[in-house]
Amino acid sequence: MEQTTEDPPTSAVLLDHCHFSQVIFNSVEKFYVPGGDITCYYTLTQHFIPRRKDWIGIFRVGWKTTREYYTFMWVTLPIDLNKESARQLEVQFKAYYLPKDDEYYQFCYVDQDGVVRGASIPFQFRPENEEDILVVTTQGEVEEIEQHNKELCKENQELKDTCVSLQKQNSDMQAELQRKQEELETLQSINKKLEQKVKEQKDCWETELLQLKEHNQKMSSENEKMGVRVDQLQVQLSTQEKEMEKLLQGDQDKTEQLEHLKKENGQLFLSLTEQREHQKKLEQTVEEMKQKEATAMKKHLEKRTLNLSRRLSENKIMCDALQREKERMERENDLPFKKCPNCLSDCADDVCEHVLEQQTLCLNCPICDKSFPAREKQIFEDHVFCHSL
């Protein structure tokens, strides 16, 4: 199997004869001489539209899918399909790519979807004078040729039946094509009316579009003005929000100060209550201290009075004692003087000044006549005080 360029589009779907009548092959020879180029002539029917990837292949008779091609050539797209001459086309196969055996082959038109759209009658590649050559074969070869001829006859009959079927399909397709053509003309008439309506509608839409553009420009201008106004309002709103925040913060601060003052007032009231209670306690304490002080003063005065009375009594006793001592001394002074044996001085009633001095250096209790040395005056006074208790 030979290939000329890139692989063509094929299909693995089995043979389907329903589309074979869309492309018709013309002037197909029964055999072609090996070693030379061959030209394939074909006609596109009116209901078939070729495409860029369509191709014509040479297939060995008996093929089942389009993948079994031997060689192929790309088709040439016609310039204007509306002309009858544009549908009469041809393609040339170079000798280098043609088969070298004497099997039966046929042309097949395959579209870019891998579907067969037309098939030719079978042909062979053999020399032109092959029929005049004497062929010497064995009996076995004769039987094999006869068997092969039977198979070829059978395939030929099948191809004839297929051709009849294709012709019938072609007739049906022609009728269908005519009907489609009438429908196409009707649709074209409707299309013209629709195009006129579309044009009118388009003109109307263009007018409305122009009006909408003008309205849009006007709205854009107003929108810009509104945008400036919105920006100004945004600034004012921002300023008011800041002022509102300051006011709210001030209210909050005042509320906090009021709460703080309430707490301080409560604390002051509590402190005042405590101070009043403390003042009452102090007043009570002062009163009690005054009473205690008055009592203590009274006791102190009484004790002092008692002490003064005691001292007065003591002084009186002392005074009385001194008075008696004075009287005694005066009496002694009135006595005659005698010499003191100690100092040999004159003394009265044998009483020397030394004796008097010794007597005066002693303190005698006026109550019990107990004597105390002059240096023990405090003991003497306490002794005398005890007599007054």
Side-chain angles (χ1 to χ4, degrees), residues 85-132:
S85 60
R87 292 184 172 271
Q88 305 293 329
L89 302 172
E90 63 183 47
V91 63
Q92 188 177 55
F93 289 90
K94 296 296 182 178
Y96 178 79
Y97 299 106
L98 297 175
K100 303 298 188 291
D101 56 23
D102 59 353
E103 296 289 335
Y104 281 90
Y105 292 89
Q106 65 181 144
F107 299 115
C108 291
Y109 187 104
V110 184
D111 65 12
Q112 66 179 21
D113 295 325
V115 179
V116 177
R117 298 296 180 174
S120 71
I121 60 173
F123 55 85
Q124 287 180 296
F125 293 94
R126 59 184 178 84
E128 186 176 1
N129 57 352
E130 185 177 352
E131 295 179 352
D132 300 331

Side-chain angles (χ1 to χ4, degrees), residues 196-210:
Q196 182 65 28
K197 289 183 179 180
V198 166
K199 185 177 182 303
E200 294 175 356
Q201 187 67 35
K202 184 178 179 181
D203 294 338
C204 181
W205 285 346
E206 288 178 352
T207 304
E208 291 180 358
L209 181 60
L210 182 60

